[in-house]
Amino acid sequence: MATSTYPLLEVENLSVAFPVSGGFGFGRRSVHAVNDVSLRIQAGETLGLVGESGSGKSTLGRAILHLERATAGTVRFEGRLITGGLPSDIASLREQTAMIFQDPFSSLNPRQTIGEGIAEVLRVHGKAQGAAIPARVGELLTLVGLDPEHATRRPQALSGGQCQRAGIARALAIEPRLIVADECVAALDVSIQAQIINLLMDLRERMGLAILFIAHDLAVVRRLCDRVAVMYLGRIVEMGPTHTIFDQPLHPYTSALVAAIPEIDPDRPLPADLLRGEPPSPLSIPAGCPFHPRCIHALPACGHGPAPGLRHRADHAFACVLHDRSSDSIHPVTKGALQHE
Amino acid sequence: MTATQSVAAIGRRVLPGGNTLTVGIVILAAWVLVALLCPWIAPFDPISQDADATLLPPNPAHPFGTDNFGRDILSRVMWGTRIDLQICFIGVAFPFVLGTIVGAVSGYVGGALDTLLMRLIDIVLAFPFLVLMLAIIAILGPGISSFYIAMAMVGWVSYARLVRSQVLSLKHRDFILAARSLGYSHGRILFFHLLPNALASSIVFAMSDCVLVLLSGASVSYLGLGVQPPVAEWGVMVAEGQGFITTAWWITTFPGLAIVALAMGFSFLADGLGDKLGARP
Amino acid sequence: MTLLRVSDLTIQDRLGTALVDGVSLSVDRGEILGLVGESGSGKTLACRAMMRLLPGEGLTIRGGEIRLNGADVLTYGEKQMMAVRGREIGMIFQNPASHLNPVMTIGRQIAEGRRRHFGASRREARQHAIELLRQVGIPDPASRVDNYPHEFSGGMRQRAMIAVALACEPKLLIADEPTTALDVTVQMQVLHLLRDLRDRLGLAVILITHDLGVVAQTCDRIAVMYAGRLCETGGKREVLGAPLHPYTRGLIECQPSSDGGAGRMITIQGQPPLAQRFPAGCRFHPRCGSATAECASVQPEMRVEPGADSHAAACHHAASVVNRGMVHGH
């Protein structure tokens, strides 16, 4: 494969909106699930996408794989335009990307055995023919830590962790370069969660996979990802290398999320509440900085005008105006939140 | 299908372990055997008349008695199995296939096509089932093929609605999204991933529908619009015997019991399959 | 003072498999007990038994005692139980959306129990509902009381469910994974609320969770369950700081945040057994790194660690687990 000068994935100003009908079908509104998002993923890189429910992180993941129609902006995979692109470009996207899902049971066809599901991928994408198929299925199952005998089982006969492994094996059958993992460990038991994270780490190393890891569990993201993007109400509010995001978050939302990670330290008190109120609905996004109603540092100016854009500081970007106020680079918000050394 | 369900419910209470599937299969297998073997096991020709043996009550030579033309009822019931099983099978298969395709496409494609097809279904449903069937048969002219055509034209709506509702609830499930993310074509997703999961409840429904078809076939024949005499068909036999109900009860009773027995077989099968496939009729 | 003492509780399914096997627990007034375990560990079932609300048919309580204020509720009739449910023990669940009645206002749902158990008038019950909503931190409770559940956000619904559970002033609140479905920030708020209720009302709480982080920050004592049996109980500092049972240790180690977060994670190999295939001996032994022949054949009993007054574990090798010096450093 000729290595191009393009990044593996390039998303620019992507927006996704869904129409919703108001009461009795009057007054059509739309939910802006994803709003003006730009990001890049290089080959072999793992980008964590975090945020609360309703932040639009899953929608973004699906829009990147062209499973959700973008209303504005572009997605390019290896430089080829995917949004509104040619069928051949989308076919090439499908040849090189795969997705793993949150619910390991419901993402597998209940009427197919694990082996049939994987074999179907191999056949459709011409990755193996005839007698080579069962051999390859066995190989893939072994790769994800299952027994080749599991090929004859149906999802119902497997545990959650085994199903998730089967889902990963099916994704790998494509021989993808990018995997979008949507909350893929959230539904699993803690001990199984760690096994799946390790598996993803292994695979990434062995196959040079790029992963878009969508999760709400920041501890897992910290463990696995090279870079992290934080979403709030459809926008990326902060993005940067993992250690920077966790150690020196610049957006007050990120610091609140980081501080809220429950740690197994009996002597650490339950952190003080760093957010006000409840997450607003994506149906009525506040004016100004969308985060200002919950921000404990919000200034009157935060409630007006357009949403603040991302400011870049080296490889770190954040969407908060508070930093302009203080002359030094560390702003008042993070001082309080830096509990992780 | 309340009648079907209550038959099955009785069966459940009587049968240990509620093994209705096996019982259903056994009953149906018995009828299929009768249909296959009737040239050899039927004691008489079903349509040959015998003026010396009219209206005989059940006796060793004619266990089910004879009718007013001297035809052996037992033989006629046996031969009737062929026609009635055929009515059940074809009468269900056409609507099943047609309804499934319409329902699946309607649910999967959605939008204007879905609206159009659903309105069409509403129109068909606006007419009482039998009235519409009889109207179609009357236009096409009496006969068994008219009955099949009418059945297909009226019966598909139930299957279409059932399959559509299944497809609608399945198409947002993760495994369908997964199939899309794996680059599968729409046809593949619809026929290999959605349909196998959507079919369970309509297969179960088809089994109970057999009962309905059997009864409609009998009623249509009874009205003289379906199978034509002298062919042995249970509905026709019941119709022919009604004039003698006070003097020769056996003419109507035995074909009537045959209808009940076959219907029970289908009911049990529907109930058992429902358990097996995880769908209730 | 002990409010609830469960001893040797055993729950069997139709096939005679002990889904909960000889579990003993106790909760004091004003104490938060963290009940930790993975799916299928029997933690939810054990708590349902305290309410005598076992889900599904074929599950029976086959032994043990559940003493609430000294009286064994297992001997109670259905009528006496109805006076216990809600009034003595309240319960909240993981998914408030499915446990609140969607066609009844929040206020009516809170008032319902009050009117039933206390015979309060409609107006009194409504005033009380508003007061409760204020206590659980719902802004503008006087107008929110007439809202329906779908008008509340996830976190507010969980608060509303807590208000429903508190309406009859129970002494014990069983919280079954109350924060699992919530975002971390909202989770923190709900945990704050539980702590606050404990402090103000002297409420005892059994917090069922799989998240040791939640336990560490919220609970006073911890009980760990695995495959229907209790593995370890004790104060949170003892259990988290010096776990005696290899399973507890494994659970702590496999949390992603455990060791600063880099590289491969420590895991517990294999997976939790299904109820029909619970192994003989110690049920954890097939997944345990330090299992011996004894573990595969002899079921370990809960033993109090010498020198620790309430820290107990069911492990033949508890001493050596400690000796290996696993301490969660942070």
Side-chain angles (χ1 to χ4, degrees):
Chain A
M1 202 170 303
T3 41
S4 49
T5 49
Y6 298 110
L8 185 65
L9 179 83
E10 190 171 21
V11 176
E12 267 176 40
N13 309 104
L14 189 74
S15 294
V16 182
F18 303 108
V20 270
S21 50
F24 303 103
F26 294 118
R28 283 202 164 264
R29 293 181 293 172
S30 51
V31 183
H32 293 273
V34 175
N35 227 324
D36 199 21
V37 164
S38 303
L39 57 83
R40 285 174 177 206
I41 300 178
Q42 304 292 345
E45 186 185 40
T46 304
L47 175 68
L49 191 57
V50 301
E52 293 168 297
S53 51
S55 61
K57 53 193 195 302
S58 291
T59 309
L60 175 58
R62 288 205 282 263
I64 283 172
L65 292 188
H66 201 68
L67 297 169
E68 207 80 77
R69 206 160 288 281
T71 38
T74 55
V75 175
R76 283 170 200 274
F77 188 77
E78 294 194 302
R80 299 187 201 207
L81 193 63
I82 298 303
T83 37
L86 301 168
S88 64
D89 288 334
I90 292 171
S92 102
L93 175 84
R94 296 273 179 258
E95 293 282 312
Q96 299 184 60
T97 57
M99 188 158 178
I100 27 188
F101 298 84
Q102 169 166 10
D103 185 340
F105 293 104
S106 79
S107 63
L108 299 172
N109 186 342
R111 303 230 167 249
Q112 259 181 345
T113 63
I114 301 303
E116 283 165 6
I118 298 172
E120 187 178 13
V121 178
L122 295 173
R123 261 195 306 271
V124 167
H125 289 279
K127 296 291 183 190
Q129 262 93 34
I133 289 178
R136 179 73 180 135
V137 168
E139 211 174 284
L140 284 163
L141 288 176
T142 315
L143 183 67
V144 296
L146 289 173
D147 201 292
E149 279 176 24
H150 284 115
T152 57
R153 307 265 192 91
R154 283 179 207 281
Q156 303 90 301
L158 300 182
S159 71
Q162 289 172 327
C163 278
Q164 197 55 283
R165 286 173 192 268
I168 294 173
R170 184 180 61 179
L172 293 177
I174 287 192
E175 295 164 30
R177 303 186 62 207
L178 170 70
I179 282 188
V180 174
D182 189 357
E183 296 276 12
C184 71
V185 295
L188 302 175
D189 275 323
V190 201
S191 67
I192 307 301
Q193 215 175 58
Q195 295 174 359
I196 297 293
I197 298 292
N198 281 353
L199 174 64
L200 288 176
M201 288 181 180
D202 275 342
L203 295 172
R204 176 174 67 182
E205 228 161 70
R206 255 198 265 178
M207 319 174 98
L209 273 177
I211 304 175
L212 178 64
F213 189 80
I214 302 171
H216 68 277
D217 185 341
L218 274 84
V220 171
V221 167
R222 180 182 207 174
R223 196 70 186 233
L224 181 68
C225 301
D226 304 315
R227 285 194 308 133
V228 178
V230 182
M231 275 185 91
Y232 187 78
L233 284 181
R235 290 172 189 274
I236 289 185
V237 295
E238 185 158 6
M239 182 156 53
T242 304
H243 60 93
T244 322
I245 295 289
F246 281 87
D247 297 341
Q248 289 165 305
L250 290 177
H251 196 283
Y253 179 61
T254 314
S255 17
L257 282 184
V258 170
I261 302 175
E263 296 227 30
I264 313 180
D265 182 352
D267 296 316
R268 190 169 156 239
L270 199 57
D273 210 347
L274 289 162
L275 287 183
R276 286 197 298 221
E278 302 278 328
S281 144
L283 269 172
S284 53
I285 295 179
C289 171
F291 181 62
H292 84 268
R294 296 179 75 195
C295 181
I296 47 176
H297 305 277
L299 304 168
C302 292
H304 306 290
L310 280 177
R311 286 149 208 271
H312 294 267
R313 189 173 289 172
D315 51 1
H316 191 170
F318 56 95
C320 180
V321 294
L322 289 167
H323 298 266
D324 294 347
R325 304 236 134 211
S326 54
S327 52
D328 60 348
S329 60
I330 301 215
H331 84 116
V333 181
T334 45
K335 273 180 198 154
L338 281 177
Q339 298 179 352
H340 299 253
E341 62 284 310
Chain B
M1 291 299 97
T2 40
T4 316
Q5 273 168 349
S6 51
V7 168
I10 294 166
R12 238 163 228 289
R13 232 168 286 145
V14 176
L15 299 166
N19 197 355
T20 48
L21 183 62
T22 323
V23 177
I25 290 173
V26 168
I27 295 178
L28 286 179
W31 279 118
V32 170
L33 268 181
V34 169
L36 289 174
L37 300 177
C38 60
W40 296 281
I41 59 171
F44 294 91
D45 183 330
I47 50 173
S48 77
Q49 306 184 356
D50 182 353
D52 298 330
T54 56
L55 297 174
L56 290 180
N59 61 61
H62 302 278
F64 286 6
T66 59
D67 65 6
N68 53 329
F69 296 108
R71 296 176 296 197
D72 179 49
I73 304 282
L74 176 62
S75 306
R76 285 181 66 75
V77 167
M78 285 178 164
W79 279 92
T81 313
R82 291 195 161 188
I83 302 284
D84 282 280
L85 279 179
Q86 188 196 340
I87 287 177
C88 287
F89 183 74
I90 301 181
V92 165
F94 282 168
F96 181 86
V97 173
L98 187 63
T100 300
I101 294 174
V102 171
V105 171
S106 178
Y108 186 66
V109 176
L113 179 71
D114 186 36
T115 314
L116 191 75
L117 289 170
M118 284 306 111
R119 292 298 81 79
L120 183 63
I121 287 175
D122 289 343
I123 292 170
V124 174
L125 282 175
F127 295 96
F129 181 77
L130 258 175
V131 170
L132 193 56
M133 280 222 1
L134 294 179
I136 295 171
I137 296 176
I139 294 167
L140 296 172
I144 190 71
S145 27
S146 305
F147 169 72
Y148 291 142
I149 294 171
M151 203 64 222
M153 288 174 73
V154 179
W156 66 275
V157 289
S158 323
Y159 294 97
R161 278 163 59 111
L162 205 56
V163 170
R164 174 178 173 270
S165 71
Q166 292 285 317
V167 167
L168 280 183
S169 76
L170 286 168
K171 85 172 177 183
H172 295 293
R173 289 269 296 276
D174 276 354
F175 72 92
I176 297 303
L177 190 64
R180 287 177 60 204
S181 79
L182 293 167
Y184 295 168
S185 66
H186 289 301
R188 172 173 285 274
I189 292 175
L190 184 53
F191 290 104
F192 292 98
H193 292 269
L194 272 173
L195 266 188
N197 286 288
L199 276 186
S201 54
S202 37
I203 288 173
V204 173
F205 179 72
M207 291 303 119
S208 15
D209 200 27
C210 283
V211 180
L212 190 72
V213 171
L214 183 68
L215 296 177
S216 332
S219 352
V220 169
S221 302
Y222 176 88
L223 294 171
L225 294 172
V227 177
Q228 299 299 309
V231 176
E233 194 276 335
W234 300 339
V236 176
M237 290 168 71
V238 173
E240 287 174 346
Q242 66 159 340
F244 304 93
I245 191 86
T246 47
T247 51
W249 55 269
W250 52 90
I251 302 184
T252 46
T253 305
F254 290 108
L257 284 177
I259 294 176
V260 171
L262 183 58
M264 261 176 70
F266 280 120
S267 301
F268 284 137
L269 192 63
D271 191 67
L273 268 180
D275 283 347
K276 202 97 188 153
L277 301 175
R280 304 294 314 160
Chain C
M1 191 176 118
T2 306
L3 174 67
L4 179 89
R5 182 179 294 282
V6 176
S7 27
D8 216 19
L9 178 69
T10 300
I11 302 172
Q12 287 187 347
D13 67 5
R14 207 181 307 226
L15 302 169
T17 313
L19 301 178
V20 171
D21 191 2
V23 167
S24 302
L25 296 169
S26 70
V27 196
D28 290 351
R29 243 172 250 288
E31 182 182 56
I32 302 184
L33 171 72
L35 188 53
V36 181
E38 296 180 279
S39 48
S41 62
K43 54 192 195 304
T44 297
L45 217 49
C47 287
R48 292 286 176 91
M50 297 171 198
M51 297 277 262
R52 298 268 306 278
L53 286 174
L54 288 180
E57 294 166 36
L59 293 174
T60 43
I61 298 173
R62 273 298 150 88
E65 282 182 345
I66 299 174
R67 291 200 174 271
L68 183 69
N69 288 321
D72 188 358
V73 300
L74 292 183
T75 63
Y76 281 14
E78 185 59 21
K79 200 155 192 183
Q80 282 170 296
M81 267 330 285
M82 275 159 73
V84 170
R85 293 181 196 134
R87 184 73 183 84
E88 302 289 330
I89 309 177
M91 199 158 186
I92 59 172
F93 303 89
Q94 174 174 352
N95 189 353
S98 61
H99 285 94
L100 288 170
N101 184 343
V103 296
M104 206 170 168
T105 63
I106 296 286
R108 290 271 304 279
Q109 295 186 53
I110 299 173
E112 200 182 12
R114 191 76 187 173
R115 295 188 63 194
R116 232 179 60 85
H117 284 287
F118 288 77
S121 73
R122 190 175 290 254
R123 182 181 298 178
E124 280 165 6
R126 186 186 154 86
Q127 277 311 313
H128 184 245
I130 293 173
E131 176 52 34
L132 272 174
L133 285 178
R134 180 174 294 118
Q135 279 188 27
V136 297
I138 301 272
D140 193 13
S143 68
R144 286 302 206 160
V145 72
D146 294 320
N147 281 168
Y148 287 91
H150 72 265
E151 295 170 276
F152 276 28
S153 70
M156 294 216 305
R157 266 181 235 150
Q158 190 57 275
R159 286 166 191 271
M161 191 157 71
I162 293 174
V164 173
L166 291 181
C168 299
E169 300 166 20
K171 317 285 181 298
L172 171 67
L173 183 70
I174 297 174
D176 191 353
E177 303 263 8
T179 60
T180 306
L182 302 176
D183 290 313
V184 269
T185 52
V186 184
Q187 159 173 302
M188 209 171 67
Q189 294 171 347
V190 171
L191 294 178
H192 267 297
L193 174 63
L194 288 179
R195 287 272 297 256
D196 182 46
L197 291 171
R198 187 273 303 269
D199 293 344
R200 271 192 297 140
L201 309 174
L203 189 69
V205 180
I206 299 182
L207 182 65
I208 303 176
T209 179
H210 64 272
D211 189 335
L212 281 174
V214 167
V215 169
Q217 292 174 354
T218 317
C219 301
D220 305 306
R221 282 195 310 120
I222 300 181
V224 183
M225 283 184 74
Y226 182 80
R229 288 202 190 130
L230 210 56
C231 312
E232 183 159 2
T233 57
K236 78 168 168 194
R237 282 196 174 68
E238 290 76 47
V239 173
L240 295 178
L244 295 173
H245 198 286
Y247 177 62
T248 316
R249 206 186 62 194
L251 270 188
I252 295 170
E253 284 176 341
C254 71
Q255 301 275 338
S257 57
S258 277
D259 49 8
R264 295 278 183 285
M265 289 169 60
I266 300 166
T267 65
I268 305 175
Q269 52 165 350
Q271 36 210 321
L274 294 173
Q276 299 78 29
R277 289 183 227 134
F278 280 154
C282 171
R283 285 179 177 174
F284 184 62
H285 85 265
R287 302 178 72 189
C288 182
S290 40
T292 56
E294 189 190 9
C295 301
S297 55
V298 184
Q299 178 186 331
E301 296 298 321
M302 286 294 280
R303 266 195 304 264
V304 177
E305 188 59 15
D309 50 7
S310 69
H311 191 186
C315 177
H316 294 303
H317 310 292
S320 61
V321 172
V322 168
N323 287 344
R324 251 194 276 153
M326 187 281 147
V327 171
H328 171 67
H330 209 71

